[in-house]
Amino acid sequence: MSAMTHTPFFSDDIDVLASALFAWCAERSIRLQSQEGLSAANVAINLYDAGYQTQDRLLGALHDHEFR
């Protein structure tokens, strides 16, 4: 099993992630604590780690992501 390493998130990082995720969920009437909302949170973290580190860029990347 491989260990995943993430850089620590700071307050500003959490604000960006939360704002984009809340907006994405609200647009789709999805509860954040639902399976779909939790899946989106995981995708948002991965996208943030990939460099989408502003609310607008992260929200755009969430819109472009193909959820199954």
Side-chain angles (χ1 to χ4, degrees):
M1 179 174 12
S2 65
M4 292 181 61
T5 59
H6 292 283
T7 57
F9 290 119
F10 296 100
S11 178
D12 290 343
D13 302 320
I14 300 299
D15 289 344
V16 169
L17 281 162
S19 296
L21 184 59
F22 291 152
W24 187 89
C25 286
E27 290 170 357
R28 288 160 179 75
S29 299
I30 295 171
R31 291 185 54 231
L32 182 56
Q33 294 181 352
S34 69
Q35 186 60 41
E36 196 172 3
L38 294 174
S39 176
N42 187 49
V43 169
I45 290 169
N46 290 336
L47 289 168
Y48 190 88
D49 282 342
Y52 297 91
Q53 297 185 345
T54 66
Q55 181 180 347
D56 290 338
R57 289 192 68 214
L58 184 55
L59 186 55
L62 283 169
H63 287 148
D64 292 342
H65 184 79
E66 188 172 318
F67 288 88
R68 294 180 193 169

